[in-house]
Amino acid sequence: MNTSHPSRDSDKSVAADETPSVMRHARVHEGSSFPLGATWDGLGVNFALFSANATRVELCLFDETGEQEVARVELPEYTDEVWHGYLPDARPGQLYGYRVHGPYAPEEGHRFNPNKLLLDPYAKQIVGDLQWDEALFGYTIGHPDGDLSFDERDSAPFMPRCRVIDPAFTWGRSRGVQLPWDHTIVYETHVRGYTMRHPSVPEALRGTFAGLMVNDVVDYIRSLGVSSVELLPIHAFVDDQRLLEQGLRNYWGYNTLGFFAPHSRYISGDSINEFKELVARYHAADLEVILDVVYNHTAEGNELGPTLSLKGIDNASYYRLMPDELRYYIDDTGTGNTLNLSHQRVLQMVADSLRYWATEMRVDGFRFDLATILGREPHGFDEGGGFLDSCRQDPVLSQVKLIAEPWDCGPGGYQVGGFPPGWAEWNDRYRDTVRAFWRGDEGQLPELATRLMASADFFKRRGRRPFASVNFVTAHDGYTLFDLVAYNDKHNEANGEDNKDGHGHNLSWNHGVEGPTDDEDIQALRLRQIRNFIATTLFSQGTPMLLAGDELLRTQQGNNNAYCQDNEISWVDWNLDGDAHAMIEYLRRVIALRLRYPILRRGRFLSGEYNEEMGLKEVTWLAPDGAEMDIERWEDTEARTLGLLLDGRAQPSGIRRAGADVTLLLIFNAHHEAVAFQLPAAPSGSGWLCRLDTSQTIEEAPFQRAFGEEHRMEGRSLALLELVQHGEGVVT
């Protein structure tokens, strides 16, 4: 079958070009091929669009309502595969889109269709909502030839518009926080969900950047002691047609439409400067802003998906296609398509986007969704791949925080520990181990010990530091902390997929009753387990990450895949009871302890080996009788109690000299029964001061115990004790 349609590159065959009200000409100059996108220079606007395989590019200009196309301008120049032109009469606020001509030959990888209005990949603002209609598709839905057919309907009535912006913004004295990794505590949240039910946020501002700037919101986050607010995707994204038909939405935002534009739903007014104001406000509060970004795929799906932007601009360049069947897409994301970062211009687009957000928007870092894809070359994952190399050598990107979700759906996709120096990574092995340990699973002590020490088995290589391990127990994807201790099974019925979606291996435990209960003993145990999870995360070496709302005991009613729940299932409930208030205070206390003791956040990996030169072990693992763990004890699958002695004299840096930190003893007891733990002796000390015990429901005054004395560890509890130096009394 001949699927190429070269004649459809002519004006006569394109229905959209026959609109009589469209002006065919406007004052246009040659312009420049750099920078890409629409750039206002104070006198006019330069338009530049990359397409290696197009034959002609038309710029469509719209009136201020976006409804009427007022001019169509053919970009006059083509330089280094970039189409460009300069409009001296254009101004900020101008709405526009593109129509790109070229062969419609899906079996050759080309899907040009100038009947489809396309979004500029470099658009700094996208206005209006996508209205799902069959005209959005480059082929005719229902046609016997499927995606090999050619659809001549105009998609413009159903498409959003790009808007030219004026980038000017007065930052004043605002500066980036530039927080070192050892002081970093990540707080993952959602722009919309965090404020939709907040009583201090005016209704008109709820769910927006402006809502996140309300003083009570900022003051609360700062009061917790966290350092870095990580926002789920804020890049412009699309609500899937299937979800809208079910009354749902793409709440999380992992369906990107534009890599430079903030999502319009998160802007309370009409200016993207609202996001800049948010960053400036958080920086003034000494809070970093980190963005969760999605550069692995777009909202255009596979060969049966819509033509919204890249697919119609240059499908063969922007996407990874099956080498022997260019009609089809390589799907390492599970979403239908995969961006082709092996292409120079696609790599440039992603790097330009990151630099834009880091410089123009001044964000402090990025968390990369399915980041393995960004390091994937045609031969597989390569830590020396183009994208990872570009980040490492870039003078801007190498100085911001880079956090990888180190897995994808492709072959060899699991790459925890496989990223190059300079990167941190989500550590799911930490998550699963800590969950299994506190659930009481057998044989967890060796694995737990490794995870508590920043997973050196994964990350101690090439000069990487402990911060590379981002330690978390919960995140947006999965249970909340309350649901982790309240449900054995996922309850995703509200998602409309018969509870078949979401992960079934959650390592959760309901403690005897599925969901809410009036049983006070179960309630108390659940709260203790939540305290255990929080303390474990914050007392581990590495970078801790917390899920916003966990400290408020937020529940999603057992839904562990609330990606489509833009409602009270996902929104943070600020109507707090006494238990929630107590948990907030507990979190503040634990964070303060982490920051108080540098030994909990060392910049180098701590070793359990004896250092003859310094005469000490940085780390000593202890059994309940106070003796050092031996092979037999490590191999005891029934053992569920472990002590961790962190010697404050341990060498803090590469210089061989003793440290002056406080020595700490951590005790973990996952037994359901109490265990008597004999407190060890430690050099230069006279006893132990208990700073935290998760079996306590309220904060109690520190109490001191002598060496050799037994400390009663209640069932499923954690304790932190500080060494009392000779000559010291009880330290407050």
Side-chain angles (χ1 to χ4, degrees):
M1 179 185 295
N2 181 12
T3 60
S4 180
H5 301 277
S7 64
R8 286 176 176 156
D9 189 37
S10 66
D11 289 342
K12 292 183 179 180
S13 67
V14 179
D17 282 348
E18 297 172 359
T19 307
S21 61
V22 175
M23 295 186 296
R24 300 299 307 171
H25 302 285
R27 195 157 68 106
V28 59
H29 299 166
E30 293 83 354
S32 172
S33 61
F34 179 85
L36 292 166
T39 306
W40 161 249
D41 64 4
L43 299 174
V45 179
N46 190 79
F47 293 87
L49 180 75
F50 160 74
S51 179
N53 296 293
T55 58
R56 183 156 58 98
V57 173
E58 291 180 308
L59 172 67
C60 301
L61 304 178
F62 295 86
D63 66 9
E64 61 183 11
T65 69
E67 296 179 0
Q68 182 66 40
E69 188 176 348
V70 296
R72 190 173 297 181
V73 182
E74 185 172 329
L75 295 185
E77 291 291 345
Y78 185 56
T79 305
D80 295 335
E81 300 182 328
V82 175
W83 302 83
H84 56 93
Y86 182 88
L87 271 61
D89 300 323
R91 295 291 182 268
Q94 175 67 60
L95 300 181
Y96 71 100
Y98 286 109
R99 296 182 187 274
V100 180
H101 298 251
Y104 186 83
E107 291 181 325
E108 299 173 18
H110 302 306
R111 295 180 179 272
F112 295 98
N113 187 336
N115 297 288
K116 312 305 170 185
L117 185 72
L118 305 175
L119 295 175
D120 181 358
Y122 277 72
K124 304 303 190 300
Q125 187 170 10
I126 296 174
V127 297
D129 293 325
L130 182 78
Q131 303 294 323
W132 284 101
D133 187 89
E134 291 187 359
L136 294 172
F137 296 79
Y139 65 96
T140 302
I141 293 179
H143 192 282
D145 293 336
D147 66 296
L148 300 180
S149 62
F150 184 84
D151 190 85
E152 297 188 354
R153 286 171 290 187
D154 183 13
S155 69
F158 312 102
M159 283 289 294
R161 310 291 190 243
C162 306
R163 176 182 281 166
V164 178
I165 68 159
D166 183 346
F169 180 76
T170 302
W171 287 95
R173 297 181 179 179
S174 176
R175 295 291 183 270
V177 180
Q178 296 183 326
L179 194 74
W181 274 104
D182 67 326
H183 280 71
T184 300
I185 301 174
V186 179
Y187 188 66
E188 187 197 40
T189 193
H190 190 284
V191 170
R192 185 167 168 82
Y194 201 68
T195 62
M196 283 300 294
R197 305 176 71 183
H198 199 292
S200 297
V201 178
E203 189 169 347
L205 302 183
R206 292 181 177 180
T208 68
F209 300 131
L212 274 181
M213 282 188 277
V214 169
N215 287 338
D216 283 356
V217 175
V218 180
D219 291 346
Y220 169 76
I221 295 174
R222 191 72 191 99
S223 76
L224 294 176
V226 299
S227 69
S228 311
V229 177
E230 182 178 302
L231 301 175
L232 265 69
I234 67 159
H235 289 174
F237 62 86
V238 171
D239 289 315
D240 306 75
Q241 183 177 15
R242 175 186 64 84
L243 294 177
L244 292 175
E245 290 172 350
Q246 297 178 42
L248 303 171
R249 272 182 165 171
N250 190 329
Y251 172 69
W252 286 349
Y254 292 95
N255 204 23
T256 306
L257 186 63
F259 298 115
F260 292 78
H263 192 55
S264 60
R265 197 182 303 159
Y266 298 158
I267 302 174
S268 64
D270 62 359
S271 172
I272 66 167
N273 282 348
E274 185 174 316
F275 180 78
K276 296 181 180 180
E277 293 170 10
L278 170 67
V279 174
R281 176 72 179 88
Y282 276 59
H283 284 175
D286 292 325
L287 289 168
E288 292 184 320
V289 177
I290 295 174
L291 299 185
D292 191 337
V293 289
V294 188
Y295 294 111
N296 53 74
H297 75 282
T298 75
E300 292 186 298
N302 60 17
E303 70 277 2
L304 300 180
T307 297
L308 310 174
S309 181
L310 307 181
K311 184 180 289 186
I313 294 172
D314 193 349
N315 185 69
S317 293
Y318 280 104
Y319 293 114
R320 293 195 187 276
L321 306 179
M322 298 295 291
D324 300 324
E325 294 183 284
L326 297 178
R327 174 184 175 184
Y328 302 106
Y329 297 78
I330 293 175
D331 184 14
D332 290 330
T333 66
T335 63
N337 64 55
T338 305
L339 273 186
N340 181 20
L341 268 75
S342 297
H343 192 288
Q344 293 176 337
R345 287 294 189 178
V346 183
L347 174 60
Q348 177 191 355
M349 177 185 70
V350 173
D352 285 350
S353 170
L354 291 169
R355 279 190 293 268
Y356 173 76
W357 289 98
T359 56
E360 288 294 320
M361 299 299 201
R362 298 196 180 182
V363 302
D364 304 281
F366 305 94
R367 178 268 185 189
F368 295 83
D369 179 62
L370 301 183
T372 298
I373 286 169
L374 307 182
R376 190 184 293 280
E377 299 294 346
H379 58 273
F381 178 79
D382 183 354
E383 65 174 286
F387 173 76
L388 299 179
D389 279 352
S390 69
C391 290
R392 192 175 183 187
Q393 59 80 36
D394 189 281
V396 173
L397 301 183
S398 62
Q399 299 305 306
V400 300
K401 287 186 167 73
L402 302 175
I403 303 172
E405 181 186 40
W407 49 77
D408 66 20
C409 299
Y414 188 78
Q415 290 293 333
V416 173
F419 279 70
W423 282 77
E425 304 173 35
W426 273 26
N427 188 348
D428 65 327
R429 284 284 293 274
Y430 178 94
R431 175 198 64 198
D432 292 350
T433 299
V434 172
R435 287 186 179 191
F437 172 76
W438 285 116
R439 191 171 68 167
D441 290 8
E442 295 182 349
Q444 295 299 312
L445 293 192
E447 183 80 1
L448 177 70
T450 303
R451 302 304 148 227
L452 293 175
M453 292 292 100
S455 297
D457 54 337
F458 290 135
F459 298 108
K460 190 178 180 181
R461 64 185 191 92
R462 300 186 64 190
R464 299 185 75 182
R465 300 295 183 123
F467 75 76
S469 176
V470 176
N471 303 324
F472 67 102
V473 175
T474 56
H476 69 276
D477 188 359
Y479 283 134
T480 65
L481 202 48
F482 181 86
D483 289 354
L484 183 65
V485 300
Y487 294 92
N488 282 351
D489 304 304
K490 59 187 174 72
H491 296 269
N492 299 352
E493 290 81 5
N495 295 355
E497 300 180 47
D498 297 324
N499 203 31
K500 296 178 181 178
D501 64 303
H503 207 294
H505 182 65
N506 297 291
L507 296 168
S508 61
W509 178 33
N510 65 19
H511 296 81
V513 174
E514 188 76 353
T517 180
D518 294 327
D519 188 308
E520 293 183 358
D521 290 338
I522 293 178
Q523 289 177 348
L525 183 54
R526 287 176 175 178
L527 292 174
R528 185 185 303 174
Q529 290 282 57
I530 290 173
R531 293 194 292 271
N532 289 334
F533 284 124
I534 289 174
T536 304
T537 303
L538 286 158
F539 294 160
S540 298
Q541 302 291 317
T543 303
M545 185 184 81
L546 306 170
L547 175 62
D550 275 351
E551 77 280 9
L552 310 177
L553 306 180
R554 184 175 75 88
T555 177
Q556 293 180 167
Q557 302 165 31
N559 192 320
N560 74 348
N561 188 35
Y563 74 101
C564 57
Q565 300 297 330
D566 188 5
N567 50 48
E568 293 186 357
I569 291 177
S570 294
W571 299 342
V572 174
D573 184 0
W574 294 93
N575 183 22
L576 309 179
D577 61 15
D579 288 337
H581 283 291
M583 195 61 71
I584 293 170
E585 290 305 315
Y586 172 79
L587 176 61
R588 289 172 174 154
R589 180 184 172 196
V590 175
I591 289 177
L593 288 171
R594 176 180 176 84
L595 298 177
R596 177 174 182 166
Y597 300 120
I599 193 69
L600 293 174
R601 44 188 174 81
R602 278 297 179 88
R604 58 190 297 272
F605 288 96
L606 296 176
S607 168
E609 298 178 0
Y610 183 76
N611 186 320
E612 293 187 3
E613 182 178 345
M614 304 190 69
L616 58 83
K617 280 189 176 183
E618 299 171 326
V619 174
T620 304
W621 300 100
L622 303 172
D625 61 2
E628 187 169 354
M629 294 283 288
D630 55 24
I631 293 178
E632 183 178 354
R633 293 174 188 259
W634 283 119
E635 293 179 347
D636 182 1
T637 59
E638 297 296 323
R640 292 177 174 83
T641 306
L642 184 65
L644 167 57
L645 182 64
L646 297 168
D647 195 324
R649 302 171 300 160
Q651 181 179 326
S653 70
I655 299 175
R656 292 188 176 277
R657 63 184 177 202
D661 294 344
V662 174
T663 294
L664 298 178
L665 174 64
L666 283 161
I667 308 173
F668 304 83
N669 179 31
H671 274 297
H672 65 278
E673 295 179 342
V675 172
F677 198 99
Q678 187 169 337
L679 300 178
S684 70
S686 60
W688 295 99
L689 191 68
C690 185
R691 286 293 187 185
L692 182 84
D693 189 326
T694 61
S695 67
Q696 301 172 358
T697 57
I698 59 174
E699 182 177 358
E700 298 181 1
F703 56 89
Q704 187 168 335
R705 295 196 186 281
F707 294 155
E709 188 176 347
E710 290 185 344
H711 180 77
R712 178 181 171 87
M713 293 294 300
E714 297 295 341
R716 296 194 169 88
S717 66
L718 180 154
L720 172 68
L721 297 92
E722 170 187 337
L723 181 67
V724 178
Q725 300 292 318
H726 287 302
E728 290 183 352
V730 175
V731 183
T732 59

